[in-house]
Amino acid sequence: MNRDLASYKFLDDAGDLFRFTGRFFQQWFKPRYEIAEFIRQCYIVGYKSLPLIGLTAFIMGLVLTMQLRPSMLKYGVEFELPAIVGIAIVREIGPVITALIFAGKIGSSMGAELGSMKVTEQIDAMEVSGTNPFKFLVVTRVMATTFMLPVLLLLGDAISLYGSYLGVNIRGDTSFTLFWMQVFKNLSFNDVLPAFVKSYFFGFAVGMIGCYMGYTSNKGTEGVGSSANSAVVLSSIIIFFLDLLAVQITDVLGFN
Amino acid sequence: MTEVQQATNKDQTMSITSVLVIRHLYKSFGKNHVLIDFNLEVHKGESVVILGKSGSGKSVLIKCVIGLLKPDQGTIEMFGQNIPDLDHEEIDQVRARVGFLFQSNALYDSMTVRNNLEFPLRRHWIKVTQEEVNSMVIEALEDVGLTHTIDMMPEELSGGMRKRIALARTLILRPEIILYDEPTTGLDPITAKEIIGLMREIQAKYDTTSVIISHDMNCIRTASDRVIVLIDGKCHAIGTYEELKQSDDPKVKHFFE
């Protein structure tokens, strides 16, 4: 077999990523538990991402409402605008856009940070200092992204719907209470649960790919930039694939 | 007493004073044979310099010693334990007695100088109170003359200061052996001289054993009791700096020209 083939390299990289993921699950349950570092990562990943995710969510809700309004008006269903926007944001647009923004901010920073630590021997220094660097750096980060993205999604959805409320009122007159009543009246458990569950998988994918790219970076300073870039690109693609998979699963399970 | 008994007694005497014994060490990366039948014995309180060109296997050797790389064959005995045979917990116990100064300093960018120094203390589960930790950190910083940097971030320090802080972090656990990976690389001659002086001071003060990887002749001349010339992964020559300087071997002479 010609080992230079792109397909061979793809399979080789995919195999490495799966092994890396397997190592995560192997190390996850083993003591010692890095709780302080996990909390610190939750703060960095969750709290520090909130302004960016909040801003993009707000603009997304506002713009989506304003773009939909003329079409809704044309068919005489303008009063359904909060319901339509609510379903679109909660079911699909919220989780995917939040995950993509999250991948851009957190995935790239993890790729660059761990890549830089590898190049400057900080990972080796940790090992010499009696620390399991995989557990300290990778497990805590992946757990933080997995648990923080759903929280950011809930906040992002709320901010997005508030943006939509302002969008509705630019050319209309809908009270705050009426807007939220219309949103929640048309949302069911089947809309919220799959979106919330898939955000855990998106968070896991962003953390795992960001850490994998950084931790396995091996081309000096050039490799650090490359790791950050690859982390964002691959995370984004995986998010769309997971979304495609999620819609099939929810369809089979009768959530659609 | 038979010859065998005499040899055994001699071996036992050697093993009492030897803190690091490397025997028949081999390490390859694919078809690249980095270390080939490497042997070394380091005695307590000694300062051994391993001299070699870039790519001769010096850093691989020192990483095998600290357990960051696993050799293909051979034994590395430190404090009576064979490093390649140890599990994670056992190797951590050995590492608590060994300091490692990285070529790139390897200070944690996201931590202050204080946290960088506290990190090995906390990670090795050493039972000390916060007051003791504080005094140990201050003492290590006093040893390198940089107490005023305690709350600074590594990015605020110069190259020489970073090297000193890295040395302070190495000292915090009071190691019995310190492994230096090219301690003067990337430093200006004056700072390099200061670092070498500091290494000698530390060795005298704490009675440590030093294994230094270097190709800086000034460092080798000042800091070595014994020099090992590593060529193509093999131990090519051993002797004091003066002995090797007088050597007729062209490969050895090449380093001292």
Side-chain angles (χ1 to χ4, degrees):
Chain A
M1 185 190 279
N2 181 4
R3 290 192 165 215
D4 293 332
L5 282 173
S7 55
Y8 181 87
K9 190 173 181 315
F10 170 76
L11 290 173
D12 200 29
D13 289 345
D16 283 346
L17 179 57
F18 277 109
R19 268 196 296 277
F20 192 81
T21 309
R23 195 174 163 196
F24 167 83
F25 285 112
Q26 185 200 11
Q27 302 267 326
W28 190 15
F29 296 103
K30 276 187 185 171
R32 110 196 226 182
Y33 303 110
E34 306 286 359
I35 294 171
E37 181 62 13
F38 168 66
I39 292 168
R40 195 178 82 88
Q41 287 303 324
C42 284
Y43 170 76
I44 294 168
V45 164
Y47 183 73
K48 291 202 169 177
S49 305
L50 188 57
L52 181 67
I53 284 176
L55 180 69
T56 49
F58 177 78
I59 294 169
M60 188 177 66
L62 183 69
V63 170
L64 185 68
T65 307
M66 290 172 75
Q67 296 274 28
L68 271 174
R69 189 185 181 87
S71 303
M72 303 287 279
L73 202 60
K74 190 175 158 189
Y75 293 105
V77 284
E78 189 193 357
F79 60 92
E80 293 282 11
L81 198 52
I84 296 292
V85 172
I87 290 169
I89 287 173
V90 170
R91 279 195 78 116
E92 181 60 29
I93 299 171
V96 172
I97 297 290
T98 306
L100 290 174
I101 300 289
F102 191 72
K105 186 174 190 311
I106 299 301
S108 63
S109 82
M110 281 183 179
E113 187 188 7
L114 296 192
S116 165
M117 288 184 80
K118 179 92 187 283
V119 168
T120 56
E121 298 178 303
Q122 290 176 50
I123 293 179
D124 283 345
M126 267 187 188
E127 199 167 343
V128 171
S129 297
T131 302
N132 178 342
F134 191 90
K135 209 167 174 59
F136 190 82
L137 298 171
V138 177
V139 174
T140 54
R141 278 167 173 75
V142 175
M143 283 178 68
T145 56
T146 307
F147 289 108
M148 283 297 106
L149 186 57
V151 176
L152 287 169
L153 173 66
L154 289 179
L155 293 168
D157 280 355
I159 294 167
S160 199
L161 289 171
Y162 184 72
S164 173
Y165 161 71
L166 294 181
V168 166
N169 280 285
I170 285 174
R171 286 174 189 256
D173 186 18
T174 305
S175 74
F176 191 71
T177 315
L178 181 64
F179 176 85
W180 287 101
M181 272 180 65
Q182 278 191 297
V183 169
F184 285 115
K185 205 177 103 184
N186 290 285
L187 274 178
S188 69
F189 182 71
N190 287 357
D191 296 317
V192 179
L193 186 72
F196 190 66
V197 170
K198 73 183 173 186
S199 69
Y200 280 97
F201 288 93
F202 290 165
F204 179 80
V206 170
M208 189 56 75
I209 292 164
C211 288
Y212 169 74
M213 289 299 173
Y215 205 81
T216 55
S217 170
N218 56 5
K219 289 176 189 164
T221 46
E222 186 196 338
V224 176
S226 164
S227 299
N229 183 44
S230 307
V232 178
V233 173
L234 189 59
S235 299
S236 305
I237 294 168
I238 296 288
I239 285 166
F240 283 112
F241 270 106
L242 285 174
D243 197 38
L244 186 66
L245 194 65
V247 81
Q248 302 297 325
I249 292 169
T250 49
D251 205 31
V252 170
L253 296 176
F255 281 101
N256 289 343
Chain B
M1 194 180 286
T2 64
E3 276 183 28
V4 175
Q5 279 174 321
Q6 279 176 343
T8 311
N9 287 345
K10 192 182 171 190
D11 271 359
Q12 280 170 349
T13 314
M14 289 294 280
S15 64
I16 290 165
T17 55
S18 299
V19 286
L20 171 65
V21 182
I22 300 172
R23 288 207 175 101
H24 310 298
L25 197 71
Y26 288 81
K27 178 70 187 170
S28 302
F29 296 97
K31 289 176 183 173
N32 182 19
H33 302 293
V34 181
L35 294 171
I36 304 159
D37 196 19
F38 184 85
N39 293 280
L40 173 67
E41 191 154 339
V42 180
H43 308 298
K44 192 173 180 345
E46 195 182 18
S47 180
V48 173
V49 173
I50 297 168
L51 166 68
K53 286 194 285 188
S54 296
S56 60
K58 305 187 299 294
S59 292
V60 171
L61 171 67
I62 208 166
K63 284 185 178 175
C64 285
V65 170
I66 198 71
L68 289 172
L69 290 173
K70 213 173 174 78
D72 301 332
Q73 264 185 66
T75 58
I76 302 166
E77 280 183 33
M78 241 194 314
F79 312 117
Q81 289 176 289
N82 186 24
I83 301 298
D85 291 344
L86 302 181
D87 62 26
H88 278 292
E89 283 178 17
E90 289 168 333
I91 207 161
D92 279 347
Q93 285 170 2
V94 172
R95 282 169 178 164
R97 299 168 69 186
V98 181
F100 192 114
L101 182 71
F102 286 86
Q103 186 179 349
S104 60
N105 306 322
L107 294 177
Y108 307 122
D109 295 330
S110 59
M111 298 182 195
T112 62
V113 167
R114 180 197 295 276
N115 292 338
N116 261 285
L117 267 66
E118 284 182 1
F119 193 83
L121 280 174
R122 303 214 180 278
R123 306 307 299 184
H124 279 297
W125 293 106
I126 291 164
K127 286 176 185 164
V128 277
T129 62
Q130 187 55 46
E131 287 75 32
E132 285 169 321
V133 169
N134 288 342
S135 69
M136 286 166 93
V137 168
I138 297 286
E139 196 183 341
L141 286 173
E142 276 171 356
D143 283 337
V144 297
L146 286 176
T147 41
H148 64 285
T149 62
I150 191 162
D151 291 319
M152 290 168 87
M153 297 299 286
E155 67 198 21
E156 297 173 75
L157 307 171
S158 68
M161 288 163 97
R162 289 168 74 104
K163 187 66 81 181
R164 282 166 178 263
I165 297 297
L167 192 52
R169 188 178 63 183
T170 307
L171 286 177
I172 197 112
L173 291 172
R174 294 280 175 273
E176 291 161 59
I177 303 177
I178 303 182
L179 309 173
Y180 298 92
D181 190 1
E182 309 211 7
T184 55
T185 299
L187 300 176
D188 63 83
I190 296 167
T191 312
K193 204 174 168 184
E194 285 172 5
I195 295 294
I196 297 162
L198 203 55
M199 286 159 59
R200 292 302 277 182
E201 275 175 35
I202 285 161
Q203 189 173 13
K205 186 174 175 184
Y206 297 111
D207 191 27
T208 55
T209 306
S210 303
V211 178
I212 305 163
I213 298 285
S214 185
H215 46 62
D216 173 0
M217 295 316 287
N218 190 37
C219 171
I220 295 161
R221 185 175 53 80
T222 332
S224 68
D225 296 325
R226 204 152 51 104
V227 181
I228 282 109
V229 181
L230 187 68
I231 297 175
D232 297 331
K234 291 177 189 166
C235 179
H236 187 81
I238 304 177
T240 62
Y241 176 84
E242 291 303 328
E243 281 168 1
L244 292 177
K245 201 179 172 187
Q246 309 299 326
S247 170
D248 294 329
D249 185 330
K251 284 184 178 174
V252 176
K253 270 179 102 172
H254 177 68
F255 286 102
F256 291 84
E257 279 168 2

